[in-house]
């Protein structure tokens, strides 16, 4: 049985906003907080009840805001702290909770702590970062190159797990922990309802081996979120390497660490390494979902239900047919994830079936990771293939401005946006979608409404009916005598029997046929 607190969290539907690309209110080509505020009616109509904002803090933007220079202030392009207060207030008035992105593992090298720390060993911030006389040679940074950078001013090397401009904080220093708790409290006082915590599994480190889950990880998370002031918050951790035991340790209700975490086993589907396509059936996603649903059920945990985020190209384009069956695939994928137990996350644009764009020039890219990869690829693969790889794999794939209409720049801005508009914007945009008989947006609305009004979908047990060898996914959800069957057919046409004595409560094809057509889904309620 889920605890009462977790049953309450189960009613969340979280919409992830990439602020830079959501809506530009003041025509400078960059999305901003006022732009988000303008779209709250839209989000309310969609039926979500929480937004997670990717980092909005003061930042030199080497890694799009994940390099924070001041945790208590807003990035100039996004607006002011007052705008944030207004947004929180307006969101709450719309019945929408606000979840901030917290980046505790590293700061920008422009952060005051780092600027002080690099001055020398007797500075009061000296131990806020990891300084070494020699680099630990086998440590590489996630964005390429060594993870140790020499700082001439201090005459030592500092650790950066990501970009050179993102220095890792030394969490073994109690002052760092106190500072980060104060940052959390600052935002709680401003009214935020929860946090998504960036690479949380890396904050406790072990030297010289390089491990996630350092020896003090759980203690540190508990210190942040297990306090009286924070224990009520919704928290979701980004954990790249969690196995079952770790998930249990992080998310069991009584531990007061995280409400849930992102578990990424399914995110590499449809690709071999990040940059190469690998054709794969949705049955692979089904099997991973079943595995983690069962773990969550057995342990009374909440699983996070997501396909997309700002770090990877659209799942739809990797695992579905984003051409003539774009609507069918987008809705099928949504139905199979969001009728399960856990916390649904919708990434901006997913609700209109945003698909992977294509460009011919490196000028159309911004993602530091993708661009570094492109330059590494050039000598190995040549220009054409390197472009193909960055188009497929770069994080820009789903970071491009939201397409609200078929107007110039997709109606996101009246001027050229910071990042080239999705090349398919005339075909894939909200206005066109709404006008279409096959509207992904309308399907999402119906799906979320069904979810939030159906205890069996929110809390029910899962009973998988389809067999592993079936090219589809059929399961039942049952709670307090109410039962639903969800049928998700995948790529091929299939014969699937619909249980008798049921009524249809959701479908993505406009009519019914003898067989189930590609990506057809059906949810029925048992009478
Ligand atoms: C996470 C973020 C990603 C960022 C990285 C470093 O993986 O999702 O966008 O680049 O952490 O902060
Ligand atoms: Ca703007």
């Amino acid at each position: 049985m889920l605890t009462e607190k977790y049953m309450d969290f189960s009613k969340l539907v979280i919409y992830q906003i990439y602020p830079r690309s959501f809506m530009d209110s003041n025509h400078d080509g960059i999305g901003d907080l006022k732009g988000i505020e303008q779209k709250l009616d839209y989000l309310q109509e969609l039926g979500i009840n929480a937004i997670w904002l990717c980092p909005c803090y003061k930042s030199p933007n080497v890694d799009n805001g994940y390099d924070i220079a001041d945790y208590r202030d807003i990035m100039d392009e996004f607006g002011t702290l007052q705008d944030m207060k207004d947004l929180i207030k307006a969101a709450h008035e719309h019945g929408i909770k606000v979840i901030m992105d917290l980046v505790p593992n590293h700061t920008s090298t422009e952060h005051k702590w780092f600027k002080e720390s690099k001055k020398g060993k007797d500075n009061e911030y000296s131990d806020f970062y990891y300084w070494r006389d020699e680099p630990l040679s086998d440590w590489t940074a996630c964005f390429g190159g060594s993870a140790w950078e020499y700082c001439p001013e201090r005459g030592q090397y500092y650790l950066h797990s990501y970009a050179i401009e993102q220095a890792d904080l030394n969490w073994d220093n109690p002052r760092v922990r106190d500072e980060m708790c104060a940052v959390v409290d600052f935002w709680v006082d401003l009214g935020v309802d929860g946090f998504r915590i960036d690479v949380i599994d890396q904050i406790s480190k072990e030297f010289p081996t390089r491990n996630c889950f350092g020896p003090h990880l759980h203690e540190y998370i508990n210190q942040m979120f297990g306090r009286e002031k924070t224990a009520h918050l919704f928290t979701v951790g980004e954990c790249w390497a969690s196995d079952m035991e770790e998930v249990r340790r992080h998310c069991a209700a009584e531990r007061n660490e995280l409400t849930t975490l992102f578990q990424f086993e399914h995110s590499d589907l449809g690709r071999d390494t990040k940059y190469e396509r690998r054709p794969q059936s949705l049955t692979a996603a089904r099997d991973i979902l079943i595995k983690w649903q069962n773990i969550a059920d057995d342990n009374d945990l909440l699983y996070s239900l997501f396909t997309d985020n700002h770090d990877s190209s659209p799942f739809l384009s990797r695992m579905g047919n984003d051409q003539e069956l774009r609507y069918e695939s987008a809705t099928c994928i949504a139905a199979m994830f969001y009728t399960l137990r856990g916390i649904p996350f919708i990434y901006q644009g997913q609700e209109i079936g945003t698909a992977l764009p294509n460009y011919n020039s490196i000028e159309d890219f911004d993602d530091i990771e993708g661009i570094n990869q492109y330059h590494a690829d050039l000598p190995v693969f040549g220009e054409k293939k390197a472009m193909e790889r960055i188009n497929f794999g770069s994080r820009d794939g789903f970071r491009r401005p939201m397409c609200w209409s078929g107007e110039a720049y997709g109606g996101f801005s009246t001027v050229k946006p910071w990042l080239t508009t999705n090349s398919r914007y005339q075909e894939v945009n909200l206005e066109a979608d709404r006008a279409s008989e096959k509207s992904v947006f309308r399907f999402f609305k119906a799906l979320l409404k069904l979810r939030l009004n159906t205890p069996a979908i929110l809390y029910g047990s899962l009973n998988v009916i389809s067999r592993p060898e079936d090219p589809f996914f059929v399961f039942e959800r049952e709670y307090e005598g109410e039962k639903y069957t969800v049928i998700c057919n995948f790529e091929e046409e299939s014969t699937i029997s619909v249980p008798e004595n049921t009524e249809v409560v959701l479908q993505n094809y406009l009519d019914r046929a003898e067989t189930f057509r590609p990506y057809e889904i059906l949810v029925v309620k048992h009478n």
Side-chain angles (χ1 to χ4, degrees):
M1 275 285 285
L2 288 176
T3 63
E4 213 171 295
K5 184 173 157 191
Y6 275 23
M7 281 179 80
D8 230 36
F9 284 138
S10 304
K11 289 181 237 155
L12 287 171
V13 177
I14 300 173
Y15 186 89
Q16 182 189 352
I17 293 181
Y18 199 65
R20 186 161 281 269
S21 289
F22 192 55
M23 183 66 202
D24 175 19
S25 74
N26 62 345
H27 318 294
D28 63 355
I30 300 175
D32 44 58
L33 299 183
K34 281 279 169 256
I36 300 173
E37 199 179 324
Q38 287 169 8
K39 293 294 179 188
L40 288 172
D41 289 344
Y42 165 75
L43 294 173
Q44 194 176 35
E45 185 194 347
L46 172 60
I48 58 95
N49 51 33
I51 47 177
W52 146 28
L53 306 173
C54 276
C56 303
Y57 314 91
K58 195 75 87 200
S59 162
N61 274 308
V62 170
D63 185 24
N64 276 348
Y66 284 92
D67 47 323
I68 296 172
D70 186 347
Y71 288 94
R72 289 180 175 79
D73 206 352
I74 300 298
M75 196 184 295
D76 293 331
E77 299 104 309
F78 289 0
T80 62
L81 195 58
Q82 187 56 47
D83 292 340
M84 181 56 96
K85 291 180 189 165
D86 294 346
L87 174 60
I88 295 171
K89 185 160 175 278
H92 287 165
E93 282 163 10
H94 281 77
I96 294 174
K97 293 186 161 40
V98 178
I99 294 163
M100 296 290 277
D101 208 316
L102 186 74
V103 188
N105 181 68
H106 43 266
T107 71
S108 162
T109 48
E110 295 296 307
H111 194 289
K112 180 187 127 195
W113 301 336
F114 189 82
K115 286 185 179 163
E116 288 296 318
S117 192
K118 71 177 179 185
K119 284 182 185 162
K121 290 183 183 152
D122 31 300
N123 185 280
E124 66 164 313
Y125 293 95
S126 165
D127 290 333
F128 265 52
Y129 299 85
Y130 296 105
W131 294 100
R132 293 284 183 278
D133 293 330
E134 294 295 333
L136 295 174
S137 57
D138 57 335
W139 285 42
T140 53
C142 287
F143 298 157
S146 166
W148 296 92
E149 181 72 9
Y150 186 68
C151 171
E153 196 176 334
R154 176 148 166 165
Q156 278 188 308
Y157 293 81
Y158 67 89
L159 176 67
H160 63 91
S161 295
Y162 294 87
I164 292 170
E165 297 86 349
Q166 289 166 300
D168 283 44
L169 282 165
N170 171 13
W171 271 74
D172 295 328
N173 178 348
R175 283 191 53 213
V176 167
R177 303 201 294 274
D178 288 345
E179 288 281 0
M180 207 50 75
C181 286
V183 166
V184 167
D185 293 352
F186 173 84
W187 290 102
V188 173
D189 289 338
L190 281 191
V192 313
D193 305 282
F195 294 93
R196 174 266 187 190
I197 308 110
D198 196 60
V199 293
I200 185 69
D201 49 0
Q202 297 172 22
I203 59 173
S204 169
K205 297 187 169 64
E206 225 176 339
F207 295 92
T209 53
R210 186 172 200 187
N211 258 327
C212 283
F213 318 125
H216 302 290
L217 179 61
H218 295 282
E219 183 189 324
Y220 295 166
I221 298 179
N222 185 265
Q223 185 179 346
M224 258 192 298
F225 298 118
R227 292 170 296 133
E228 205 185 319
K229 187 162 179 139
T230 52
H232 67 284
L233 296 170
F234 169 81
T235 49
V236 50
E238 185 195 27
C239 295
W240 282 94
S242 320
D243 58 12
M244 205 164 87
E245 271 315 307
E246 271 309 314
V247 173
R248 248 183 233 144
R249 254 176 248 139
H250 278 301
C251 300
E254 73 279 3
R255 292 183 57 97
N256 281 321
E257 288 189 22
L258 302 171
T259 313
T260 182
L261 51 73
F262 293 125
Q263 199 296 121
F264 290 97
E265 194 174 337
H266 62 289
S267 350
D268 281 330
L269 294 175
R271 58 189 186 191
D272 243 347
T273 79
K274 210 164 175 174
Y275 296 87
E276 290 290 331
R277 186 181 287 281
R278 173 159 69 117
Q280 241 179 328
S281 160
L282 274 172
T283 54
R286 171 197 66 192
D287 298 344
I288 294 171
L289 274 177
I290 296 173
K291 167 180 154 191
W292 285 98
Q293 281 289 311
N294 287 336
I295 293 173
D297 281 7
D298 291 347
N299 294 281
D300 301 320
L301 307 175
L302 290 176
Y303 185 73
S304 60
L305 305 165
F306 73 99
T307 51
D308 288 277
N309 60 36
H310 62 292
D311 285 332
S312 64
S313 51
F315 191 80
L316 160 68
S317 297
R318 280 182 283 128
M319 297 302 288
N321 172 337
D322 72 0
Q323 300 297 320
E324 59 287 352
L325 295 173
R326 188 177 58 84
Y327 161 84
E328 289 78 1
S329 318
T331 52
C332 171
I333 291 167
M336 93 187 244
F337 277 78
Y338 302 146
T339 54
L340 291 168
R341 194 168 91 176
I343 313 258
F345 289 83
I346 298 168
Y347 180 68
Q348 69 182 44
Q350 223 186 298
E351 78 278 22
I352 58 169
T354 299
L356 188 67
N358 196 57
Y359 305 89
N360 298 322
S361 159
I362 186 72
E363 296 298 309
D364 290 314
F365 292 85
D366 169 86
D367 165 29
I368 177 173
E369 186 185 78
I371 292 173
N372 288 351
Q373 184 67 42
Y374 170 81
H375 290 297
D377 283 352
L378 269 182
V380 186
F381 298 106
E383 159 73 22
K384 187 159 172 275
K385 177 84 184 156
M387 261 332 279
E388 226 175 273
R389 282 166 58 85
I390 191 172
N391 268 303
F392 177 72
S394 110
R395 301 187 298 178
D396 290 329
F398 220 156
R399 287 182 176 184
R400 299 188 182 268
M402 175 81 181
C403 298
W404 299 99
S405 71
E407 287 164 57
Y409 312 124
F412 160 79
S413 179
T414 50
V415 303
K416 193 173 180 318
W418 71 279
L419 181 63
T420 314
T421 310
N422 188 305
S423 55
R424 292 177 66 177
Y425 79 97
Q426 278 169 329
E427 168 205 357
V428 187
N429 64 68
L430 175 67
E431 207 175 81
D433 183 85
R434 278 189 193 267
S436 164
E437 239 196 338
K438 298 200 239 172
S439 163
V440 182
F441 178 73
R442 272 201 304 281
F443 181 88
F444 265 70
K445 261 172 80 166
L447 171 60
L448 297 183
K449 194 164 163 210
L450 174 70
R451 177 178 180 88
L452 291 173
N453 289 318
T454 309
I457 292 182
L458 291 175
Y459 319 120
S461 58
L462 173 70
N463 181 22
V464 178
I465 304 289
S466 49
R467 298 157 304 173
E469 62 273 25
D470 289 331
F472 48 77
F473 187 17
V474 180
F475 56 93
E476 296 170 345
R477 302 292 316 280
E478 189 169 2
Y479 185 72
E480 293 185 341
E482 286 213 327
K483 187 156 121 183
Y484 289 75
T485 296
V486 180
I487 300 173
C488 300
N489 186 37
F490 297 151
E491 302 78 27
E492 299 152 28
E493 207 169 292
S494 311
T495 304
I496 307 171
S497 52
V498 180
E500 278 169 27
N501 224 340
T502 53
E503 59 177 295
V504 175
V505 292
L506 188 72
Q507 62 191 101
N508 63 346
Y509 273 67
L510 305 171
D511 55 1
R512 298 288 314 284
E514 282 295 297
T515 55
F516 275 78
R517 291 153 287 185
Y519 303 107
E520 181 165 358
I521 73 100
L522 195 69
V523 182
V524 297
K525 179 175 195 257
H526 293 245
N527 292 322

